[in-house]
Amino acid sequence: MSHLQGKFPPSRCSLPYGNCSHGNSETEPFIAAHNTILAHAKAVDMYRTKYQEEQRGIIGIVVQTAWFEPISDSIADREAAKRAQSFYSNWILDPIIYGKYPKEMVNILGPALPRFSRKEVENLKKSSLDFIGINHYTSHFIQDCLFSTCNAEDDGASKAQGFALKLDQKDGVSIGELTDVYWQRIHPEGFRKILNYLKNRYRNIPMFITENGFGDLQKPETTVKELLNDTKRIQYMSGYLDALESAMRDGANVKGYFAWSLLDNFEWLYGYKLRFGLFHVDYATLKRIPKQSASWYKKFIGEHIKRRYN
């Protein structure tokens, strides 16, 4: 979004990915991510050396995740789904945990992908992490664009995104219920699948769900009463928490869950129009009012505590 499409600051990109005054979409995203990974290793090493023994804390990294479902059972589409994961969360986690980029990225990008020095690889493996933070909201169908013809301007169809085209529909049927947020489809089964995928790929390192939630887009005609009566958010959370429980039964080492979010807040380019909160915020007065989802979630937590300890 920042260095490929240029939609987020610092808004660097190049054609055909976006129309920016500066940037190179085919190289800069990988340089920026490379430096982020190296910075993570430095921060972990500093914490482990200077603070962890005294504070007895744990340190990790948060990654954005999505589930990528092949749009067909063909080998090409299944391989494209693997590439989509490698060009997404694996892009960050593989170097941190294994000291190298996913092979799918190396094979496609070649010299455009920065290399780690031998010492940097050692530091990455030595630092690693104590947990993985998981942000998860949605799923996509994936169609191969390596052996099929796609429009390079479509999401994921380009070399810089692994030639894995993201689609929300298969034969006219959405992967999940549509929402007001263009990128979010309700697909709880994808949550279970991604947690099992990460469990298997990364030695079942402890995971915390650091973001998961449902966004309401406030339109000019939307009333506060409608925002408070957030039954869709309850349905979303109920489905995704059931999927989380299923993944834990499958053996996923999940240590905690954080709903996004407690309060309505400033959401990227949406500003204050997109509301993820369990509590409604009147931005003029800052008054906070619990939505139906807040009451539901309180009850949900209480019932699960009773079930666990009784």
Side-chain angles (χ1 to χ4, degrees):
M1 298 299 287
S2 301
H3 294 81
L4 184 83
Q5 298 176 351
K7 294 179 180 179
F8 287 3
S11 300
R12 295 182 64 87
C13 67
S14 58
L15 295 173
Y17 306 96
N19 188 12
C20 305
S21 57
H22 302 283
N24 185 331
S25 296
E26 295 190 348
T27 59
E28 290 190 9
F30 309 106
I31 296 170
H34 193 78
N35 288 329
T36 298
I37 292 163
L38 293 176
H40 165 81
K42 289 278 189 183
V44 171
D45 180 65
M46 181 182 292
Y47 183 73
R48 292 246 169 91
T49 303
K50 295 186 176 182
Y51 305 106
Q52 192 167 35
E53 183 178 356
E54 179 183 352
Q55 295 180 356
R56 292 178 291 176
I58 57 176
I59 189 167
I61 195 167
V62 176
V63 293
Q64 184 76 11
T65 69
W67 177 248
F68 299 115
E69 188 75 25
I71 200 161
S72 79
D73 198 39
S74 71
I75 293 174
D77 286 335
R78 293 203 306 268
E79 290 298 312
K82 291 180 183 178
R83 293 197 303 274
Q85 290 291 0
S86 288
F87 276 74
Y88 208 66
S89 48
N90 300 355
W91 176 2
I92 306 301
L93 291 174
D94 271 30
I96 290 172
I97 295 171
Y98 298 120
K100 57 184 179 181
Y101 284 114
K103 62 181 180 181
E104 293 85 356
M105 295 188 76
V106 175
N107 291 341
I108 288 177
L109 296 173
L113 193 63
R115 295 189 176 188
F116 297 106
S117 69
R118 183 176 297 178
K119 184 175 182 180
E120 287 170 343
V121 170
E122 291 173 0
N123 289 339
L124 283 165
K125 289 183 175 180
K126 180 179 69 174
S127 299
S128 193
L129 37 71
D130 300 319
F131 70 89
I132 302 171
I134 305 297
N135 292 355
H136 183 86
Y137 292 91
T138 195
S139 301
H140 304 276
F141 287 120
I142 293 293
Q143 177 181 316
D144 170 66
C145 289
L146 185 59
F147 299 104
S148 305
T149 302
C150 300
N151 187 341
E153 295 181 23
D154 290 338
D155 193 12
S158 66
K159 176 180 178 180
Q161 295 171 283
F163 298 115
L165 178 63
K166 294 179 188 174
L167 297 168
D168 292 321
Q169 293 187 347
K170 176 182 178 180
D171 299 327
V173 179
S174 176
I175 195 168
E177 184 179 349
L178 305 178
T179 70
D180 285 339
V181 187
Y182 77 92
W183 50 261
Q184 187 172 32
R185 301 291 183 268
I186 302 174
H187 186 237
E189 182 60 19
F191 194 24
R192 178 181 182 177
K193 287 182 177 180
I194 189 64
L195 291 174
N196 279 316
Y197 175 87
L198 295 169
K199 170 193 74 175
N200 294 328
R201 189 176 183 94
Y202 299 113
R203 305 190 298 255
N204 210 9
I205 292 171
M207 292 180 279
F208 288 88
I209 311 306
T210 40
E211 284 188 26
N212 176 245
F214 179 88
D216 280 317
L217 190 60
Q218 184 171 357
K219 306 178 186 72
E221 67 274 15
T222 306
T223 65
V224 173
K225 183 178 180 180
E226 289 172 331
L227 292 171
L228 294 176
N229 185 27
D230 59 342
T231 54
K232 285 291 184 184
R233 179 171 290 106
I234 294 171
Q235 292 171 10
Y236 178 96
M237 292 184 68
S238 177
Y240 275 73
L241 286 165
D242 283 348
L244 171 59
E245 188 173 26
S246 295
M248 293 174 71
R249 287 199 184 114
D250 296 336
N253 189 14
V254 179
K255 298 296 187 182
Y257 172 91
F258 295 85
W260 187 265
S261 58
L262 177 67
L263 305 172
D264 291 334
N265 62 90
F266 189 90
E267 284 286 342
W268 297 91
L269 299 184
Y270 285 100
Y272 293 111
K273 294 178 181 178
L274 186 55
R275 294 177 178 266
F276 275 91
L278 301 177
F279 281 74
H280 177 271
V281 177
D282 183 324
Y283 294 121
T285 65
L286 299 186
K287 181 180 180 181
R288 302 169 182 181
I289 306 172
K291 301 175 186 177
Q292 282 194 15
S293 58
S295 301
W296 174 86
Y297 194 37
K298 179 180 179 180
K299 182 180 178 182
F300 176 92
I301 292 170
E303 289 175 350
H304 278 71
I305 289 173
K306 286 180 183 177
R307 190 172 72 182
R308 180 170 182 175
Y309 291 105
N310 287 345

